Structures are given as C-alpha cells and as structure tokens.
Amino acid sequence: MIKNEYLARVLEQVKQRDGDQPEFLQAVSEVFESIEPVMAAHPEYEKNGVLERMVEPERLIKFRVSWVDDAGHVQVNRGYRVQFNSAIGPYKGGIRFHPTVNESIIKFLGFEQTFKNSLTGLPMGGGKGGADFNPAGRSDGEIMRFCQSFMTELSKHIGQFTDVPAGDLGVGGREIGYMFGQYKRLRNEFTGVLTGKGIGWGGSLVRTEATGYGLCYFTQEALKHLRNDSFEGKRVIVSGAGNVAIFACEKAMELGATVVGISDGSGYVSEPGGIDLDLVKKIKLTERKKIRDYAQLRPGAKFDTDVKGLWTLPCDIALPCATQNELDGDSARALVANGCTALFEGANMPSTPEAIHVLQEAGVLYGPAKASNAGGVATSGLEMSQNSLRLSWSFEEVDERLKNIMKEIYKNAYDASVECGVPGNLMVGANVAGFLKVADAMVAQGVAY
Ligand code: NDP
Ligand code: 2IT
C-alpha cells in the first residue's frame, strides 16, 4: 500500500486513465511502490510534475502495416512505437513482433526501458515498438515484406540521434537486416539507426549474446556478493529458447552450471544430466523448429506440453527468459518447494507481483529484469558508440565492457537498496537508482519543451 500522497495520487490517475492497460499499470505500480522511500527527500519532483510526466509517453505512434502474403492476399497489422522518455538520451528500445502486442504491452515495455537504460549508465532514453504480427509459420519472403512495410512508416519517426530501435521477441538479426535495408533505401543514408545489425555491416560483436551473458554476469555478481556463492555445480532452469534464453544457458554452463530444463511455446524438456545446447541452437536458431522436435532427438529427455510445468522441476537457480507474467504465484511456490534459492529475470516483467512476493518472503534471491537483463541494451549502446566512432571493437573488448556495466548496475542497485533501508532488495534498489537519474534530468530540463 502506497502512503506517499503524491505517489498515490498519480497512481490513481493512471488507474483512471489507463485502467484498461493491465501490464502498463503493473509496471507503474511496481516502480511507484519501490521509490516511496526516496520521495520525501525530493519535494522538487512534485513541484515539477515529474511523476505525471513520467507515466505519459512523450509520443505514441500507432500505424497500419499492410503487406502481401505468399498467396497474394493483403494482410493488415497494427504497428506501434512508443517514444516514452528522452530525458537522458535518444529513445532506445526493442521492436517486438507477437500477436499479443497492443498499447498496454508496448507502454509497459517502454516505461520499464526508460529506467533500465538509465541503469546502464549510458546516454539512452526509453522507447519500444512492435506489431501484432505473428511470424510463426511465415516464409522468409513474407517476413521481409512485413519488415519493409513496417519500416516504411517507422522510418519517419526514428534516426540515430532521435530514436534507435533494436530486436525483442520475434525480432532478431534477420528482421533487423530487412528493416535496416529498407531504412537505407528510403533515406539514402547508412547510419546507426538500428542496433543488432550484422557484424559485417555496422553491428557489434557480443550484441547477440549480450542479454543472456549479461544476465549471468549480474547473477554471478549478486551470488558472489550476497552469498559468497557462484554458478559452479548449480542446477539451472531456463524458460524460453530464444535469443536471451540460449545465451543465458551458454554462459551459465560455461560458469559451471548444469541446465536441467528449458522451454518454448510448445512445452518444456527436463534433462537432469543437462541439455545439449548445440542441438537446441540447431533446432531453434538454425531450423526455427520447436523444443518438441529437440526432445524427439534426445532419448533421455522428458517432454511435456504444459509450459508452466518447467517451474516444478527441482533446481537451484531459475532464469525466466520468455515473456511477461510467465511465472505466477503457484509457479513461484513450486520453485521454492523444490529447492530454488535464486531467480534472475532475463525476460521483461516475467514474474507476477504475487510471484515476486512469494519469492521474497521465502528468501529467494531475486534479480529484477530492468537490472538483470540490461546487458542487451547496454551492448546496443556500445554498438551506437562504435558506429559513431566508425570503429569495431574486438569480442573481448565488448565483453569486458559488458561485464563491467553489469557489475556497476549490481553495485548501484545494491547501494540504493541499502540507502532505502532494505539491503539486498534489488527490486527496490534498481527502481530507485534508475528513477533518480531520469527524474533529476527531467527537473533540470524544465517542463515545456
Ligand atoms: P525470441 O523471440 O528470440 O525468443 C522467445 C522465446 O520464448 C521463444 O523460444 C518462444 O517460443 C518462447 N516463448 C514465448 N512465450 C513463451 C511462454 N509463454 N512460455 C515459454 N516459452 C515462451 O525473444 P528474445 O529471447 O529476444 O526475448 C525473450 C524475452 O527477453 C522477452 O521478454 C524480451 O522482451 C526480453 N528481452 C530481450 C532482449 C533482447 O536483447 N533480445 C533484451 C532484454 C529483454 P517459440 O519459439 O515457441 O515461439
Ligand atoms: O528489452 C530490451 O532491453 C531489449 N529488447 C533490447 C533493446 C535494445 O535497444 O537493445
């Protein structure tokens, strides 16, 4: 329950105006509850209407995306770009292609992105975009035409100093390539307008691996500092089998863990002896098939179509890397009952508020998404730097910078948790540390702009 009058009033306003946007409301509520300990010390925030401005995107663009499928039929989807907050840099954040995309999803993602980007220490504002397009089962040609149509409109609103999109669910290297090609065609300029580009044409080494690797670097740092522990010998479960999940598995394994369960939209597999990551990569990244198909090739693997069953597997560390609200209260209780002592989020807002409560009550070490998955966007920031410098850094150099950024994010979140009187509560710490920098920049830059 929020006691601070200003926070309570603005939250009520969001409920009145955006009550039909449950994910957005969930994201705002979490941040507002977390920042309560610092509000009393900052009367200037209320005087400057910081909270009211923070919950209202600077701009929300919604557009028609029409394209022609392989059968010659015209298809129409809805495209979005939310330019949420530019207080500390150009808007920055991914593009999501998924049938569930709507205004609430895009706004929750853009709102969270603002604080995540602030935590990275790099000069990036918050943005997010996407479309309710379902890439599943679409041919390469259909994906290309969709991306081109999407970019035809989006190109009017973005630019290397204005707004720099990247990938997210359903958008990887292939889609970024098609969108970059279309932007270049329309504008006749080769600039760092997107991140996650191919290595031969302006992309950064490590960007593909960065979210998953960064998640493990952050987890490693928290385990070391708070528990004098590590990944060594731990049983890990990972949800999702996409970009974030696969490279989280890779780094966790490299650091000595055994990945005993993994999932995708088709179900989950359990393999107490450890998954075959090369086979997962082949099935998911190269062949674009399902975990169901993986299980058929692994006689020892147990497969189940109940995706949530993943959370009932005995494990030490859980890394949810699929999608929002994939982990509910019951799943959190199952994790606790089966020995899980740490959960770090790779996906955005994967845990419901009830799940977070259950985990924290049980003493599970909890790493909130906007801190623990910030490695992806941080490396996007490094890609922007390299583009501006017209240079490419080596894998080792980018990886080292990523490690240092994740360490710094952990330190800032932990220090803020101490200042708020809840040492080790990384959710409060991350929200407070991310918020203060954006709020101060908004005050400094004045109200009208
Ligand atoms: P991908 O599209 O590469 O992969 C998503 C994976 O999640 C797919 O394997 C998909 O299965 C699976 N999935 C989707 N819904 C469910 C579900 N309910 N249960 C189990 N599996 C599911 O996306 P990313 O890996 O890029 O993104 C994953 C999450 O990480 C998202 O929340 C995203 O916002 C977040 N994120 C991504 C970053 C990035 O750099 N890419 C950075 C920070 C956060 P299937 O293959 O069957 O469709
Ligand atoms: O949620 C995220 O941080 C991303 N999808 C990555 C955004 C980016 O701009 O690299």
Side-chain angles (χ1 to χ4, degrees), residues 157-319:
H157 311 284
I158 62 175
Q160 61 168 333
F161 301 119
T162 310
D163 184 356
V164 183
D168 192 77
L169 255 181
V171 177
R174 173 180 61 167
E175 292 75 17
I176 293 293
Y178 293 147
M179 287 193 271
F180 184 76
Q182 183 70 351
Y183 183 87
K184 196 160 52 69
R185 234 167 259 127
L186 291 164
R187 304 287 279 260
N188 194 23
E189 58 181 41
F190 195 115
T191 60
V193 66
L194 295 172
T195 59
K197 299 185 291 299
I199 300 306
W201 41 278
S204 174
L205 288 161
V206 195
R207 177 61 189 89
T208 304
E209 297 86 351
T211 312
Y213 278 20
L215 171 64
C216 291
Y217 294 148
F218 186 87
T219 305
Q220 189 183 25
E221 201 58 26
L223 287 174
K224 186 170 78 184
H225 179 242
L226 294 169
R227 298 231 174 113
N228 193 26
D229 206 347
S230 72
F231 270 106
E232 192 65 48
K234 299 292 187 299
R235 297 162 303 168
V236 174
I237 57 175
V238 180
S239 66
N243 173 263
V244 180
I246 283 176
F247 293 101
C249 290
E250 183 165 286
K251 188 51 76 176
M253 287 161 68
E254 201 183 302
L255 294 171
T258 303
V259 177
V260 297
I262 190 167
S263 63
D264 71 1
S266 72
Y268 77 96
V269 283
S270 151
E271 285 192 85
I275 60 164
D276 177 346
L277 189 60
D278 286 338
L279 186 58
V280 172
K281 282 186 181 173
K282 179 168 170 279
I283 299 274
K284 293 300 301 180
L285 301 181
T286 311
E287 298 174 0
R288 297 183 188 272
K289 290 188 344 204
K290 294 287 178 183
I291 280 296
R292 185 196 294 114
D293 304 299
Y294 164 88
Q296 278 170 2
L297 298 170
R298 295 276 291 170
K302 210 175 124 253
F303 175 75
D304 197 310
T305 53
D306 173 21
V307 171
K308 288 209 157 137
L310 178 80
W311 309 119
T312 64
L313 296 178
C315 71
D316 303 298
I317 300 172
L319 304 175

Side-chain angles (χ1 to χ4, degrees), residues 57 59-61 63 79-85 91-97 101-114 116-117 125-131 150 154 158 163-169 207 347-348 373 377:
R59 204 167 292 105
L60 174 64
I61 303 142
F63 50 97
Y80 300 87
R81 184 73 185 168
V82 66
Q83 299 183 330
F84 222 108
N85 192 304
Y91 311 107
K92 180 85 195 86
I95 300 275
R96 174 177 292 196
F97 292 164
V101 164
N102 58 32
E103 217 166 293
S104 175
I105 298 283
I106 294 298
K107 280 178 63 184
F108 113 68
L109 288 164
F111 183 75
E112 295 251 305
Q113 196 82 45
T114 302
K116 181 196 304 192
N117 293 0
K128 202 84 190 190
F150 183 83
L154 188 67
I158 62 175
D163 184 356
V164 183
D168 192 77
L169 255 181
R207 177 61 189 89
N348 286 307
N373 77 21
V377 74

